[in-house]
Amino acid sequence: MKPKRAVGDGIISAVIKICGYSSILFVALILFFLMREGLPALWDVKPSSLIQPRWYPIEGYFGLLPLVMGTLMVTLTATLIALPFGLGTAIFISEIAPNWVKVVLKPIIEILAGIPSVVLGFIGILVMVPLLRKFLDLPTGLTAFTGAVLLGLISIPTIVSVAEEALNTVPAGYRQAGLALGATRWQTIWGITIPAARSGILTAVMLGIGRSLGETMAVMMVTGNAAVIPAQWDSLFRPVRTMTATIASEMGEVATGSVHYEVLFLIGIILFLLSLAVNIAASAISTRQRKRADRILS
Amino acid sequence: MRKFLTSLLLCCLLLQSCTADQNASSGSPAITSYYLENKGSDTIVNLALAWAEAYQKIHPEVRISVSGGGSGTGLTALINGSIPLANASRQIKAEEIEAARANGLDPQEFIIARDAIAVIVNPENPVRQLSLEQLSAIYRGEITNWSEVGGEDRPIVRLSRETNSGTHVFFLEEVVRLGSKVDKTIFSADTLLLPSSEGIISEVRDNPNAIGYDGLGYVTDEVKMVALSSLETPDEFVLPSIDTVNDGTYSISRNLYMYTGNPPSGELKAYLTWITSAEAQQIVTSLGFVPIIIPEPAK
């Protein structure tokens, strides 16, 4: 009996181990593939050509600046929109709402998370684009801002569910202690519950940013895709072209191995590095927070 | 996007009806099935589908599957030898012919229809006509307000298809560069590149500032076409139509092609011959393209 059980255990733990390590392997393989296809662009295209202000690949203009800045502007604005809404909703669901509201709200938010981004893109084109143009008196409603609002909508459910989970893991005793010391409900939420759940909330924000950074379809449909460097004060309300939209719309017709193909993979590498940077920044902040909390507790 | 989905759906239906036919006729071994794969330009995909459907009605023993993907995609598949018939909205390039020869092929060209690019504006826009130079200057970014071309004081929002579209390249060469081979001007940087015909039509329909272009076959009644003059006759403004394209007075039109890997024979040749018949060219007209009138049927 005993050795048989040991063998069974051994097999299962080996399988689980393989599953765990395979994700590392996949990331490594993806990175290797990106590097192999994209890095030759650095030799084939002059660096001065990569930082020029124009992107028009079919005639050899490979300026990446408009694309990188376009993505950064749309993602940052989307995060600024999604953050208050997402965190507010999470706090409401976890701390304030009565039970029956929770039961209704949570599935609704999960449905919102399940709506395909193409559908949101359609709504964006048909509803938001004309509305924004009329109300803000813009030349066109296909702007960075339109994309950012849609991306905000797309990343809110991610932020809500992860942040709400984090708030739920805060022990009830913390809240009770706060209230018992005479703090108001709001003081308890702001001063105790949120700081206690900070690292989970940061993860939520990070996942939200990652979601906006990588989203393609909805952005491609509503931002107008004009590769202009957003350098004017009203650039947020002008068309932009993001990196993801560029890859998606140009990869289909590009000849494998051509310079254009390599540069598209180089854009992929830049996207990869950006999300890596977001990850590293967030994990650095959350570990620093934990140390401070440890100090206070000790 | 919608166009793509409809064509995908049509493809599925077509394939399904074909297999259904085959099942029904499996009792009679006399019917030999000929399978033809046809791929390429998104501009041509609806036309090729309509042709395939009509031809299969006359010749139930032939099965034709049609898919899009772009002229380059179709020609690449032809060069690789994976399909026998490619659709292209541009002429085959010299390097593509070379690549095909390297694979032991001898590509043959067939003009199957004509296509005109219509320039469209919002119906509210009072501008009715533009010279080709004015249109070029608009897309180069030299004219930025409608008042400069006889319209209201509104900013011009330029719309274009994505750079991977055959229509984009054609417009670049014939309009932005006015047909000059040495001119290396490109679209103004703030030109909006929209991923689909529908995107362009819907923005022009809603936005009185917008100007766009698209294949004549895709233009709907919700937008207004602009009359254009040619470089030779700058004072004659012509609206795109089947007649003005065929008599050569409308300035931006092009041929649509099918390419075979080798000189066609047998069923493939029969299909290509049928495509140039009056019956098949009637379908061209019904889809908003322009038929190749080689033998003008007496009316």
Side-chain angles (χ1 to χ4, degrees):
Chain A
M1 260 332 245
K2 246 188 178 173
K4 220 177 185 181
R5 262 178 68 178
V7 170
D9 269 15
I11 291 175
I12 288 173
S13 58
V15 168
I16 290 173
K17 219 181 255 177
I18 290 171
C19 291
Y21 286 136
S22 67
S23 65
I24 300 179
L25 181 75
F26 287 144
V27 172
L29 282 178
I30 290 170
L31 190 61
F32 170 74
F33 181 71
L34 276 179
M35 295 287 175
R36 199 192 61 184
E37 303 292 321
L39 282 186
L42 294 177
W43 289 273
D44 294 344
V45 185
K46 271 180 276 166
S48 61
S49 175
L50 289 173
I51 54 166
Q52 64 170 331
R54 281 251 27 197
W55 172 262
Y56 195 71
I58 55 172
E59 294 281 326
Y61 293 81
F62 292 115
L64 297 178
L65 277 182
L67 310 179
V68 176
M69 292 174 71
T71 288
L72 288 181
M73 186 169 69
V74 174
T75 308
L76 282 180
T77 316
T79 311
L80 287 182
I81 294 170
L83 216 58
F85 279 99
L87 291 186
T89 314
I91 292 168
F92 177 70
I93 292 179
S94 151
E95 307 295 318
I96 299 168
N99 226 354
W100 68 270
V101 176
K102 263 185 224 184
V103 175
V104 177
L105 259 183
K106 275 191 81 174
I108 290 181
I109 284 165
E110 271 148 30
I111 291 173
L112 185 62
I115 296 175
S117 57
V118 186
V119 176
L120 284 175
F122 265 128
I123 296 171
I125 281 194
L126 293 178
V127 182
M128 278 180 56
V129 168
L131 270 181
L132 274 177
R133 183 177 58 77
K134 275 176 209 137
F135 279 110
L136 299 176
D137 195 26
L138 302 170
T140 170
L142 297 160
T143 63
F145 184 70
T146 324
V149 171
L150 271 190
L151 280 185
L153 264 180
I154 289 171
S155 55
I156 282 175
T158 316
I159 296 180
V160 172
S161 35
V162 180
E164 196 249 350
E165 213 99 306
L167 289 169
N168 272 342
T169 55
V170 176
Y174 282 32
R175 299 186 188 91
Q176 288 157 0
L179 294 170
L181 285 171
T184 63
R185 197 181 197 182
W186 169 242
Q187 285 169 330
T188 312
I189 291 171
W190 188 246
I192 298 170
T193 322
I194 292 180
R198 195 167 281 179
S199 94
I201 289 175
L202 262 173
T203 314
V205 173
M206 203 184 73
L207 285 175
I209 295 178
R211 186 76 216 273
S212 332
L213 200 61
E215 175 51 45
T216 309
M217 205 55 218
V219 178
M220 191 159 98
M221 291 166 83
V222 301
T223 54
N225 301 321
V228 193
I229 293 184
Q232 283 155 304
W233 63 272
D234 60 347
S235 286
L236 186 58
F237 298 100
R238 299 269 175 246
V240 287
R241 191 178 181 87
T242 63
M243 293 193 274
T244 46
T246 304
I247 296 178
S249 55
E250 292 172 16
M251 207 36 136
E253 282 254 338
V254 74
T256 311
S258 64
V259 176
H260 184 189
Y261 173 91
E262 289 166 1
V263 175
L264 287 181
F265 270 95
L266 187 65
I267 296 174
I269 295 176
I270 296 172
L271 269 174
F272 187 91
L273 292 179
L274 273 179
S275 59
L276 194 71
V278 172
N279 274 296
I280 290 174
S283 76
I285 294 170
S286 69
T287 50
R288 202 188 62 197
Q289 286 302 334
R290 198 177 305 137
K291 276 176 197 152
R292 215 179 101 207
D294 288 347
R295 265 205 315 275
I296 292 165
L297 283 175
S298 59
Chain B
M1 180 58 60
R2 211 181 314 153
K3 182 186 76 195
F4 172 70
L5 285 177
T6 358
S7 27
L8 200 71
L9 195 70
L10 274 172
C11 269
C12 293
L13 284 176
L14 211 64
L15 281 175
Q16 205 182 18
S17 61
C18 290
T19 37
D21 282 347
Q22 216 184 21
N23 288 342
S25 61
S26 60
S28 52
I31 291 177
T32 50
S33 174
Y34 173 75
Y35 180 70
L36 175 65
E37 208 180 337
N38 180 207
K39 189 176 179 173
S41 165
D42 283 323
T43 315
I44 306 177
V45 74
N46 284 337
L47 176 61
L49 266 172
W51 273 339
E53 226 169 313
Y55 192 71
Q56 284 172 124
K57 269 188 199 137
I58 320 168
H59 301 271
E61 76 281 7
V62 178
R63 282 174 57 198
I64 304 168
S65 95
V66 178
S67 55
S71 303
T73 314
L75 286 170
T76 308
L78 184 83
I79 294 164
N80 295 337
S82 48
I83 57 164
L85 188 63
N87 305 328
S89 57
R90 59 166 171 83
Q91 230 167 348
I92 191 167
K93 292 177 192 160
E95 57 260 38
E96 284 168 332
I97 295 180
E98 238 167 73
R101 294 235 164 95
N103 288 348
L105 296 169
D106 178 21
Q108 304 288 310
E109 175 180 294
F110 299 88
I111 296 174
I112 50 157
R114 288 196 178 88
D115 180 22
I117 291 183
V119 173
I120 50 176
V121 294
N122 188 280
E124 281 176 37
N125 191 329
V127 172
R128 307 163 62 91
Q129 57 186 41
L130 290 169
S131 73
L132 211 54
E133 283 97 339
Q134 280 175 326
L135 187 60
S136 172
I138 287 175
Y139 272 94
R140 286 162 181 248
E142 290 156 12
I143 295 180
T144 55
N145 195 297
W146 281 111
S147 61
E148 294 170 60
V149 289
E152 297 163 339
D153 178 23
R154 289 174 172 282
I156 297 180
V157 173
R158 309 167 192 87
L159 309 177
S160 162
R161 294 292 303 277
E162 271 289 352
T163 49
N164 58 10
S165 146
T167 317
H168 177 104
V169 176
F170 180 67
F171 196 84
L172 173 71
E173 287 167 355
E174 293 304 314
V175 177
V176 179
R177 294 176 178 165
L178 295 169
S180 159
K181 297 276 180 218
V182 287
D183 191 348
K184 287 293 167 210
T185 320
I186 55 176
F187 281 85
S188 161
D190 55 5
T191 306
L192 276 67
L193 300 180
L194 301 187
S196 67
S197 289
E198 282 77 17
I200 290 180
I201 302 265
S202 85
E203 177 67 3
V204 171
R205 182 190 59 211
D206 294 334
N207 190 345
N209 304 325
I211 182 169
Y213 64 86
D214 212 339
L216 187 54
Y218 291 115
V219 175
T220 62
D221 297 339
E222 303 161 308
V223 295
K224 189 174 86 176
M225 291 197 277
V226 178
L228 295 179
S229 69
S230 67
L231 289 177
E232 295 79 35
T233 52
D235 301 321
E236 273 175 49
F237 295 92
V238 182
L239 274 169
S241 72
I242 290 173
D243 292 332
T244 55
V245 171
N246 270 317
D247 64 20
T249 47
Y250 185 68
S251 43
I252 24 181
S253 67
R254 61 176 169 177
N255 295 327
L256 299 177
Y257 304 91
M258 277 191 181
Y259 285 92
T260 60
N262 282 308
S265 58
E267 296 284 1
L268 186 55
K269 190 175 182 182
Y271 183 51
L272 283 166
T273 315
W274 176 79
I275 279 176
T276 51
S277 71
E279 186 193 355
Q281 291 293 314
Q282 189 59 45
I283 297 175
V284 174
T285 318
S286 70
L287 285 175
F289 290 109
V290 182
I292 36 159
I293 312 271
I294 303 166
E296 172 88 54
K299 281 172 192 166

